[in-house]
Amino acid sequence: MLNIPTQSFPAPGSQQRVAPSGQSGRSKVVLKPGHSLMDWIRFAKSGQDLTGLRGRLIEVTQEELQKHSSRADCWTCIRGMVYNVTPYMDYHPGGEEELMKAAGKDGTDLFDQVHRWVNYESMLKECLVGRMATKTSAAAKAIIPPPPPPPATSPVLNSSLAPPQDKDTRPRYDWFQTDASVNLVVYSKWKIPSSGCTVVDVQEGVLRLELLLGKMSYMMHLRLTEEVKESVAVQTAFAVGKIQITLQKQTKGTWSNLGQHLESHNTFISKKDRAIHYRDCVLVSKTEVNHNSHVFRLQLPHGSVMHVPVGKHVYLKALVQGKKPGTQDIRRR
């Protein structure tokens, strides 16, 4: 059954309604050159820090939201998510005055009255500050565990497992959820190449996420609290090194925590010390380039995403005429 909204469309007071004769309706705002919708989309995708939080997502209290109510520092809340709309001021078709009506407070009702059909989540995703704190905290905050201490019985710590001397170079992660999705955000603190660096596998309720950062490998490894669908979305802010993974919940609701930590979770080690992980793929095609070069097209299993940086080695393992698996090392050029 379709969920048909009861209010009329366009909404009363919308810019899409024609004003009665003799009335001007909503005032028209002439935007500055270079401030169209397409200009905003390009600006939002530029990789600049539009939140002022250097990629962090936070839980915002009502008191904190109210502090950000000026033209130079304007936050607003729409459906429980808080956005820093300061950089959007000059791009807003309704003008600065209309946007300031929701400054420092919940602007959901005002938004719905004017343009509830607008996909604000897409337009303002780079402006997302975090979610509103709830007084009855049903959803738990993400807890970033510290690096595991060295075993007490080991007199020498393997240097490849030791965190970098500069603690600020170690990636960290956070997570937040909606009723239908779980979102993980990793702040790599590295500039990410355009080819990407993310490898994600979600199989039988287990999440394995690896970031390939130069000669280092950062991994998250969790048995998720509940089941998710086999669709994985990866968004990368290349210039600031932020990666967001979105998983769709199998059943809508609120998770009390992200999941159980498994071996290698939240580790940052040399790539050469990371065990090779194989996944079952389907060979779509094999094309001969010359006497010793071939192009393989492989289909990854559902729930897997692989960004292969230039120069990274990919290992293939296959049964050849019923014999034991053979391994081939292939390098992306």
Side-chain angles (χ1 to χ4, degrees):
M1 182 181 293
L2 295 176
N3 182 18
I4 307 297
T6 56
Q7 79 173 67
S8 59
F9 180 89
S14 164
Q15 293 177 348
Q16 291 192 356
R17 283 188 177 271
V18 178
S21 177
Q23 296 183 21
S24 60
R26 181 174 295 276
S27 59
K28 303 295 182 180
V29 175
V30 179
L31 299 176
K32 301 175 184 176
H35 287 75
S36 67
L37 174 60
M38 292 307 299
D39 290 318
W40 167 252
I41 293 173
R42 282 191 290 269
F43 178 55
K45 292 181 178 294
S46 66
Q48 296 188 44
D49 180 14
L50 302 188
T51 65
L53 299 174
R54 297 183 179 179
R56 292 183 299 121
L57 290 174
I58 64 175
E59 195 170 62
V60 183
T61 63
Q62 188 67 38
E63 293 75 16
E64 180 65 26
L65 178 63
Q66 293 172 354
K67 295 177 183 177
H68 303 271
S69 58
S70 67
R71 169 64 179 83
D73 181 18
C74 182
W75 293 7
T76 190
C77 175
I78 304 177
R79 304 202 203 314
M81 306 306 288
V82 178
Y83 299 88
N84 182 352
V85 295
T86 312
Y88 183 61
M89 284 285 181
D90 292 334
Y91 295 85
H92 185 233
E96 173 186 325
E97 183 179 348
E98 288 297 311
L99 208 55
M100 286 300 295
K101 291 179 180 179
K105 58 185 179 182
D106 193 318
T108 305
D109 290 342
L110 181 61
F111 175 85
D112 286 345
Q113 290 172 17
V114 180
H115 38 42
R116 69 177 300 171
W117 60 87
V118 172
N119 187 353
Y120 67 91
E121 292 175 309
S122 176
M123 289 183 60
L124 299 176
K125 64 183 179 182
E126 299 301 331
C127 299
L128 180 63
V129 171
R131 59 185 173 187
M132 283 297 296
T134 54
K135 292 182 179 179
T136 56
S137 181
K141 298 180 183 178
I143 300 176
I144 316 294
T153 58
S154 177
V156 179
L157 179 66
N158 186 338
S159 60
S160 66
L161 296 177
Q165 292 182 352
D166 180 5
K167 63 180 181 180
D168 291 334
T169 64
R170 181 186 180 86
R172 62 181 184 82
Y173 75 92
D174 197 356
W175 73 284
F176 64 96
Q177 62 180 309
T178 66
D179 194 45
S181 67
V182 175
N183 302 271
L184 291 85
V185 183
V186 181
Y187 310 101
S188 71
K189 304 176 186 177
W190 292 60
K191 186 174 181 180
I192 297 173
S194 58
S195 55
C197 70
T198 307
V199 181
V200 186
D201 295 287
V202 179
Q203 301 293 334
E204 298 180 349
V206 174
L207 168 69
R208 183 185 185 276
L209 166 64
E210 183 178 9
L211 301 186
L212 305 170
L213 305 169
K215 296 182 179 181
M216 302 296 288
S217 164
Y218 174 74
M219 180 173 290
M220 292 179 61
H221 198 197
L222 295 146
R223 180 171 297 282
L224 299 171
T225 295
E226 297 187 26
E227 291 294 321
V228 295
K229 297 178 181 178
E230 291 184 335
S231 58
V232 181
V234 179
Q235 295 179 328
T236 306
F238 299 96
V240 298
K242 182 176 78 171
I243 300 97
Q244 179 168 321
I245 312 297
T246 300
L247 307 173
Q248 298 300 320
K249 296 177 180 177
Q250 195 72 258
T251 305
K252 291 184 178 181
T254 301
W255 291 11
S256 60
N257 57 71
L258 185 56
Q260 176 187 355
H261 299 172
L262 300 178
E263 182 182 5
S264 302
H265 177 67
N266 200 34
T267 56
F268 188 43
I269 65 175
S270 173
K271 282 196 295 190
K272 64 183 178 63
D273 295 313
R274 183 77 72 190
I276 298 174
H277 179 75
Y278 291 100
R279 51 195 60 77
D280 293 329
C281 300
V282 175
L283 179 61
V284 178
S285 66
K286 174 184 174 182
T287 306
E288 184 176 359
V289 178
N290 54 39
H291 71 284
N292 65 354
S293 298
H294 293 79
V295 175
F296 293 87
R297 290 182 60 225
L298 300 171
Q299 179 179 318
L300 292 168
H302 293 297
S304 293
V305 174
M306 180 182 289
H307 296 167
V308 185
V310 174
K312 182 187 182 299
H313 290 258
V314 176
Y315 294 87
L316 300 181
K317 183 168 63 174
L319 284 171
V320 180
Q321 296 180 349
K323 298 180 181 179
K324 66 179 182 179
T327 301
Q328 185 170 2
D329 180 6
I330 298 176
R331 183 174 182 174
R332 173 174 174 174
R333 302 183 185 277

mmCIF file of all heavy atoms in Angstrom, residues 188-214:
data_model
loop_
_atom_site.group_PDB
_atom_site.id
_atom_site.type_symbol
_atom_site.label_atom_id
_atom_site.label_comp_id
_atom_site.label_asym_id
_atom_site.label_seq_id
_atom_site.Cartn_x
_atom_site.Cartn_y
_atom_site.Cartn_z
ATOM 1 N N SER A 188 40.611 8.239 7.627
ATOM 2 C CA SER A 188 41.907 7.594 7.386
ATOM 3 C C SER A 188 43.087 8.502 7.685
ATOM 4 O O SER A 188 44.179 8.031 7.969
ATOM 5 C CB SER A 188 41.986 7.131 5.926
ATOM 6 O OG SER A 188 42.114 8.246 5.054
ATOM 7 N N LYS A 189 42.874 9.838 7.577
ATOM 8 C CA LYS A 189 43.939 10.827 7.754
ATOM 9 C C LYS A 189 45.004 10.703 6.661
ATOM 10 O O LYS A 189 46.130 11.148 6.821
ATOM 11 C CB LYS A 189 44.572 10.724 9.145
ATOM 12 C CG LYS A 189 43.550 10.848 10.274
ATOM 13 C CD LYS A 189 44.164 10.657 11.636
ATOM 14 C CE LYS A 189 43.102 10.651 12.716
ATOM 15 N NZ LYS A 189 43.653 10.396 14.053
ATOM 16 N N TRP A 190 44.613 10.084 5.547
ATOM 17 C CA TRP A 190 45.461 9.975 4.368
ATOM 18 C C TRP A 190 44.700 10.577 3.184
ATOM 19 O O TRP A 190 43.472 10.501 3.124
ATOM 20 C CB TRP A 190 45.772 8.519 4.036
ATOM 21 C CG TRP A 190 46.650 7.803 5.021
ATOM 22 C CD1 TRP A 190 46.415 7.582 6.347
ATOM 23 C CD2 TRP A 190 47.906 7.193 4.739
ATOM 24 N NE1 TRP A 190 47.434 6.871 6.911
ATOM 25 C CE2 TRP A 190 48.378 6.612 5.948
ATOM 26 C CE3 TRP A 190 48.687 7.053 3.598
ATOM 27 C CZ2 TRP A 190 49.581 5.927 6.037
ATOM 28 C CZ3 TRP A 190 49.882 6.363 3.675
ATOM 29 C CH2 TRP A 190 50.325 5.817 4.889
ATOM 30 N N LYS A 191 45.443 11.123 2.231
ATOM 31 C CA LYS A 191 44.821 11.536 0.982
ATOM 32 C C LYS A 191 44.658 10.291 0.134
ATOM 33 O O LYS A 191 45.614 9.572 -0.137
ATOM 34 C CB LYS A 191 45.687 12.567 0.254
ATOM 35 C CG LYS A 191 45.018 13.150 -0.990
ATOM 36 C CD LYS A 191 45.839 14.261 -1.595
ATOM 37 C CE LYS A 191 45.130 14.836 -2.818
ATOM 38 N NZ LYS A 191 45.916 15.939 -3.440
ATOM 39 N N ILE A 192 43.426 10.027 -0.292
ATOM 40 C CA ILE A 192 43.113 8.769 -0.963
ATOM 41 C C ILE A 192 43.208 8.937 -2.478
ATOM 42 O O ILE A 192 42.700 9.913 -3.033
ATOM 43 C CB ILE A 192 41.708 8.305 -0.552
ATOM 44 C CG1 ILE A 192 41.692 8.026 0.953
ATOM 45 C CG2 ILE A 192 41.280 7.064 -1.324
ATOM 46 C CD1 ILE A 192 40.326 7.734 1.504
ATOM 47 N N PRO A 193 43.857 7.999 -3.186
ATOM 48 C CA PRO A 193 43.954 8.095 -4.644
ATOM 49 C C PRO A 193 42.589 7.967 -5.295
ATOM 50 O O PRO A 193 41.661 7.381 -4.731
ATOM 51 C CB PRO A 193 44.864 6.911 -5.018
ATOM 52 C CG PRO A 193 44.734 5.947 -3.881
ATOM 53 C CD PRO A 193 44.532 6.794 -2.652
ATOM 54 N N SER A 194 42.466 8.517 -6.510
ATOM 55 C CA SER A 194 41.173 8.518 -7.196
ATOM 56 C C SER A 194 40.665 7.116 -7.492
ATOM 57 O O SER A 194 39.466 6.906 -7.677
ATOM 58 C CB SER A 194 41.285 9.319 -8.502
ATOM 59 O OG SER A 194 42.289 8.764 -9.347
ATOM 60 N N SER A 195 41.558 6.132 -7.555
ATOM 61 C CA SER A 195 41.147 4.749 -7.795
ATOM 62 C C SER A 195 40.527 4.118 -6.555
ATOM 63 O O SER A 195 39.970 3.026 -6.617
ATOM 64 C CB SER A 195 42.343 3.914 -8.263
ATOM 65 O OG SER A 195 43.418 4.007 -7.347
ATOM 66 N N GLY A 196 40.632 4.787 -5.406
ATOM 67 C CA GLY A 196 40.060 4.271 -4.176
ATOM 68 C C GLY A 196 41.025 3.379 -3.421
ATOM 69 O O GLY A 196 42.126 3.082 -3.887
ATOM 70 N N CYS A 197 40.620 2.953 -2.233
ATOM 71 C CA CYS A 197 41.488 2.116 -1.399
ATOM 72 C C CYS A 197 40.699 1.171 -0.507
ATOM 73 O O CYS A 197 41.246 0.564 0.395
ATOM 74 C CB CYS A 197 42.375 3.013 -0.533
ATOM 75 S SG CYS A 197 41.467 3.891 0.763
ATOM 76 N N THR A 198 39.386 1.040 -0.761
ATOM 77 C CA THR A 198 38.494 0.348 0.164
ATOM 78 C C THR A 198 38.110 -1.040 -0.331
ATOM 79 O O THR A 198 37.733 -1.200 -1.496
ATOM 80 C CB THR A 198 37.212 1.176 0.377
ATOM 81 O OG1 THR A 198 37.566 2.509 0.761
ATOM 82 C CG2 THR A 198 36.339 0.563 1.453
ATOM 83 N N VAL A 199 38.199 -2.016 0.557
ATOM 84 C CA VAL A 199 37.744 -3.379 0.259
ATOM 85 C C VAL A 199 36.756 -3.771 1.361
ATOM 86 O O VAL A 199 37.099 -3.761 2.545
ATOM 87 C CB VAL A 199 38.916 -4.376 0.228
ATOM 88 C CG1 VAL A 199 38.399 -5.777 -0.102
ATOM 89 C CG2 VAL A 199 39.976 -3.942 -0.783
ATOM 90 N N VAL A 200 35.527 -4.091 0.965
ATOM 91 C CA VAL A 200 34.477 -4.419 1.925
ATOM 92 C C VAL A 200 33.892 -5.780 1.594
ATOM 93 O O VAL A 200 33.601 -6.073 0.425
ATOM 94 C CB VAL A 200 33.337 -3.376 1.914
ATOM 95 C CG1 VAL A 200 32.332 -3.665 3.023
ATOM 96 C CG2 VAL A 200 33.877 -1.968 2.047
ATOM 97 N N ASP A 201 33.723 -6.603 2.608
ATOM 98 C CA ASP A 201 33.033 -7.888 2.452
ATOM 99 C C ASP A 201 32.023 -8.026 3.585
ATOM 100 O O ASP A 201 32.385 -7.904 4.753
ATOM 101 C CB ASP A 201 34.026 -9.055 2.516
ATOM 102 C CG ASP A 201 35.000 -9.053 1.352
ATOM 103 O OD1 ASP A 201 34.576 -9.388 0.227
ATOM 104 O OD2 ASP A 201 36.176 -8.702 1.564
ATOM 105 N N VAL A 202 30.774 -8.269 3.227
ATOM 106 C CA VAL A 202 29.728 -8.557 4.207
ATOM 107 C C VAL A 202 29.172 -9.925 3.864
ATOM 108 O O VAL A 202 28.474 -10.092 2.858
ATOM 109 C CB VAL A 202 28.614 -7.499 4.180
ATOM 110 C CG1 VAL A 202 27.536 -7.843 5.201
ATOM 111 C CG2 VAL A 202 29.172 -6.110 4.457
ATOM 112 N N GLN A 203 29.525 -10.910 4.660
ATOM 113 C CA GLN A 203 29.115 -12.284 4.403
ATOM 114 C C GLN A 203 28.613 -12.922 5.698
ATOM 115 O O GLN A 203 29.321 -12.926 6.696
ATOM 116 C CB GLN A 203 30.300 -13.102 3.845
ATOM 117 C CG GLN A 203 30.886 -12.559 2.551
ATOM 118 C CD GLN A 203 29.940 -12.663 1.368
ATOM 119 O OE1 GLN A 203 29.065 -13.533 1.352
ATOM 120 N NE2 GLN A 203 30.095 -11.774 0.397
ATOM 121 N N GLU A 204 27.392 -13.432 5.666
ATOM 122 C CA GLU A 204 26.799 -14.146 6.799
ATOM 123 C C GLU A 204 26.895 -13.357 8.099
ATOM 124 O O GLU A 204 27.243 -13.882 9.146
ATOM 125 C CB GLU A 204 27.472 -15.516 6.953
ATOM 126 C CG GLU A 204 27.269 -16.413 5.744
ATOM 127 C CD GLU A 204 27.937 -17.767 5.905
ATOM 128 O OE1 GLU A 204 28.722 -17.926 6.871
ATOM 129 O OE2 GLU A 204 27.672 -18.670 5.102
ATOM 130 N N GLY A 205 26.587 -12.067 8.002
ATOM 131 C CA GLY A 205 26.541 -11.233 9.197
ATOM 132 C C GLY A 205 27.878 -10.737 9.696
ATOM 133 O O GLY A 205 27.946 -10.079 10.736
ATOM 134 N N VAL A 206 28.963 -11.023 8.960
ATOM 135 C CA VAL A 206 30.301 -10.583 9.361
ATOM 136 C C VAL A 206 30.779 -9.496 8.407
ATOM 137 O O VAL A 206 30.732 -9.665 7.184
ATOM 138 C CB VAL A 206 31.304 -11.753 9.371
ATOM 139 C CG1 VAL A 206 32.717 -11.244 9.654
ATOM 140 C CG2 VAL A 206 30.897 -12.779 10.417
ATOM 141 N N LEU A 207 31.232 -8.389 8.970
ATOM 142 C CA LEU A 207 31.777 -7.285 8.183
ATOM 143 C C LEU A 207 33.298 -7.313 8.254
ATOM 144 O O LEU A 207 33.894 -7.360 9.332
ATOM 145 C CB LEU A 207 31.277 -5.940 8.731
ATOM 146 C CG LEU A 207 32.000 -4.692 8.193
ATOM 147 C CD1 LEU A 207 31.676 -4.471 6.716
ATOM 148 C CD2 LEU A 207 31.646 -3.455 9.010
ATOM 149 N N ARG A 208 33.921 -7.286 7.094
ATOM 150 C CA ARG A 208 35.376 -7.164 6.997
ATOM 151 C C ARG A 208 35.668 -5.969 6.105
ATOM 152 O O ARG A 208 35.344 -5.974 4.914
ATOM 153 C CB ARG A 208 36.005 -8.433 6.406
ATOM 154 C CG ARG A 208 37.534 -8.395 6.340
ATOM 155 C CD ARG A 208 38.063 -9.637 5.637
ATOM 156 N NE ARG A 208 39.522 -9.702 5.664
ATOM 157 C CZ ARG A 208 40.329 -9.082 4.800
ATOM 158 N NH1 ARG A 208 39.799 -8.329 3.838
ATOM 159 N NH2 ARG A 208 41.635 -9.208 4.895
ATOM 160 N N LEU A 209 36.254 -4.935 6.666
ATOM 161 C CA LEU A 209 36.566 -3.706 5.946
ATOM 162 C C LEU A 209 38.066 -3.452 6.025
ATOM 163 O O LEU A 209 38.633 -3.397 7.112
ATOM 164 C CB LEU A 209 35.805 -2.522 6.550
ATOM 165 C CG LEU A 209 36.250 -1.111 6.152
ATOM 166 C CD1 LEU A 209 36.044 -0.887 4.668
ATOM 167 C CD2 LEU A 209 35.503 -0.063 6.960
ATOM 168 N N GLU A 210 38.704 -3.309 4.855
ATOM 169 C CA GLU A 210 40.139 -3.039 4.827
ATOM 170 C C GLU A 210 40.411 -1.802 3.988
ATOM 171 O O GLU A 210 39.883 -1.659 2.884
ATOM 172 C CB GLU A 210 40.910 -4.227 4.253
ATOM 173 C CG GLU A 210 42.428 -4.020 4.262
ATOM 174 C CD GLU A 210 43.198 -5.219 3.741
ATOM 175 O OE1 GLU A 210 42.562 -6.168 3.212
ATOM 176 O OE2 GLU A 210 44.446 -5.228 3.849
ATOM 177 N N LEU A 211 41.235 -0.902 4.520
ATOM 178 C CA LEU A 211 41.701 0.266 3.784
ATOM 179 C C LEU A 211 43.169 0.071 3.457
ATOM 180 O O LEU A 211 43.978 -0.209 4.346
ATOM 181 C CB LEU A 211 41.515 1.544 4.609
ATOM 182 C CG LEU A 211 40.102 1.900 5.070
ATOM 183 C CD1 LEU A 211 40.100 3.269 5.734
ATOM 184 C CD2 LEU A 211 39.124 1.863 3.919
ATOM 185 N N LEU A 212 43.528 0.231 2.190
ATOM 186 C CA LEU A 212 44.904 0.069 1.729
ATOM 187 C C LEU A 212 45.518 1.453 1.621
ATOM 188 O O LEU A 212 45.231 2.212 0.694
ATOM 189 C CB LEU A 212 44.916 -0.656 0.380
ATOM 190 C CG LEU A 212 44.170 -2.004 0.391
ATOM 191 C CD1 LEU A 212 44.023 -2.539 -1.018
ATOM 192 C CD2 LEU A 212 44.883 -2.997 1.289
ATOM 193 N N LEU A 213 46.342 1.807 2.598
ATOM 194 C CA LEU A 213 46.893 3.158 2.733
ATOM 195 C C LEU A 213 48.409 3.098 2.585
ATOM 196 O O LEU A 213 49.126 2.831 3.544
ATOM 197 C CB LEU A 213 46.509 3.750 4.091
ATOM 198 C CG LEU A 213 44.995 3.765 4.394
ATOM 199 C CD1 LEU A 213 44.739 4.115 5.845
ATOM 200 C CD2 LEU A 213 44.276 4.731 3.465
ATOM 201 N N GLY A 214 48.870 3.327 1.356
ATOM 202 C CA GLY A 214 50.306 3.229 1.115
ATOM 203 C C GLY A 214 50.784 1.815 1.393
ATOM 204 O O GLY A 214 50.268 0.840 0.840
#
